[in-house]
Amino acid sequence: MLKALERSWRIFATALAFSAFGLGGLALGLVFFPLLHLFVGCSTQKTRLARLTVHYAFKFFIELMRVLGILRYSIRGIEKLQRPGRLILANHPTLIDVVFLISLVRNADCVVKAGLTQNPFTRGPIKGTAYICNNSGSQLIDDCIASVHAGNDLIIFPEGTRTATDGTMKLQRGAANIALRGLCDITPITIRCQPLSLTKGLPWWKVPVSRMIFTLEIGDDIAVAPFLEQAGGETALAARQLTQYLHDYFLPENTAHVGA
């Protein structure tokens, strides 16, 4: 009986949290960012303030979910994020991975689906933060490299979408090409959620039997120069090898999800 009541509470609390998320995005887009645009002239400073605002908003959202009893979390190696201009790559098991990652860094940039710019709840924040849209074609990789070189912390999920529930992974080579062409070492983050929820194809109201426990582990940087040397300077070959390396790096986490 108590377990059923606790689970019913988490369904209600999850609805409450996501409603707050949507309304917060709407308020930022309709009120805060227009005021920022009005009172801050410098576009660089405007973007930085917008990203800082989203950072704290996402921090609040994660704490809200924790206080409501939806999840608990622990973060290992947070000190490795204490320098600017990183290329951050992570596995992608759940819907709120990007929220967690942006809550960890103050000046995050990321690649977002172009369709989100048409969503009334996300359009304002995406426009205000100048996140990179994935519809810029061949310019996309150059934009990502420029962002890292400008000192932003660029967050990318090499899979491009949430991991399939059977744990299989198919990584795109875009992340490896950004790292190799921009000579950007990679800061890897593994994300574990047990019991697994908010996955691809699973509606939010299908809450697990107990609250989610997230573990985020920031790994040591992966240097990209050795991959270029091993490939004789051929970027395409190095990208294939680096993508395979990343696949093998993140796969054990996905396997653990399936076996959980």
Side-chain angles (χ1 to χ4, degrees):
M1 180 67 177
L2 284 176
K3 283 187 177 179
L5 283 174
E6 192 268 346
R7 197 169 186 175
S8 298
W9 163 253
R10 281 188 289 111
I11 293 173
F12 172 75
T14 304
L16 188 65
F18 281 134
S19 297
F21 185 91
L23 291 173
L26 206 57
L28 286 175
L30 293 177
V31 180
F32 181 78
F33 290 129
L35 288 174
L36 196 64
H37 184 75
L38 193 63
F39 291 107
V40 181
C42 172
S43 61
T44 303
Q45 190 181 5
K46 200 161 34 189
T47 300
R48 208 172 183 84
L49 285 171
R51 289 176 179 176
L52 188 63
T53 303
V54 171
H55 160 74
Y56 282 115
F58 282 6
K59 224 175 178 46
F60 173 80
F61 178 71
I62 294 295
E63 283 306 307
L64 177 66
M65 294 188 86
R66 186 187 65 78
V67 170
L68 290 174
I70 301 167
L71 58 80
R72 286 184 292 178
Y73 67 90
S74 64
I75 299 167
R76 302 171 185 161
I78 187 72
E79 70 281 358
K80 296 173 186 173
L81 296 178
Q82 301 305 313
R83 60 178 172 76
R86 290 176 302 268
L87 174 59
I88 297 171
L89 304 187
N91 62 320
H92 196 4
T94 81
L95 181 65
I96 58 173
D97 298 333
V98 71
V99 180
F100 258 113
L101 296 183
I102 290 178
S103 77
L104 298 180
V105 291
R106 293 163 59 91
N107 187 28
D109 195 0
C110 58
V111 178
V112 297
K113 291 179 182 175
L116 292 176
T117 60
Q118 306 303 317
N119 184 317
F121 297 103
T122 54
R123 180 172 51 211
I126 289 174
K127 188 178 176 185
T129 52
Y131 289 153
I132 300 168
C133 287
N134 66 353
N135 63 346
S136 56
S138 58
Q139 184 64 31
L140 179 61
I141 288 179
D142 291 336
D143 290 344
C144 290
I145 293 171
S147 179
V148 177
H149 288 178
N152 303 314
D153 294 321
L154 180 64
I155 296 168
I156 290 181
F157 299 103
E159 291 173 84
T161 184
R162 277 177 283 171
T163 309
T165 50
D166 63 1
T168 55
M169 298 175 67
K170 185 176 181 181
L171 270 58
Q172 309 295 320
R173 290 183 192 159
N177 273 301
I178 293 165
L180 292 163
R181 286 173 51 183
L183 292 178
C184 308
D185 289 343
I186 295 165
T187 301
I189 300 183
T190 53
I191 302 171
R192 176 176 295 186
C193 172
Q194 292 178 320
L196 188 57
S197 186
L198 300 176
T199 58
K200 191 173 186 177
L202 185 70
W204 64 264
W205 62 86
K206 297 279 187 185
V207 303
V209 291
S210 59
R211 73 177 67 180
M212 297 177 285
I213 300 177
F214 278 83
T215 306
L216 281 74
E217 182 158 2
I218 296 99
D220 294 329
D221 280 1
I222 299 170
V224 298
F227 289 91
L228 282 169
E229 290 170 12
Q230 191 178 343
E234 188 182 335
T235 307
L237 176 59
R240 284 200 296 275
Q241 294 171 343
L242 179 54
T243 300
Q244 183 61 49
Y245 180 90
L246 293 169
H247 177 276
D248 296 343
Y249 185 95
F250 289 120
L251 186 61
E253 209 57 56
N254 287 6
T255 305
H257 277 130
V258 175

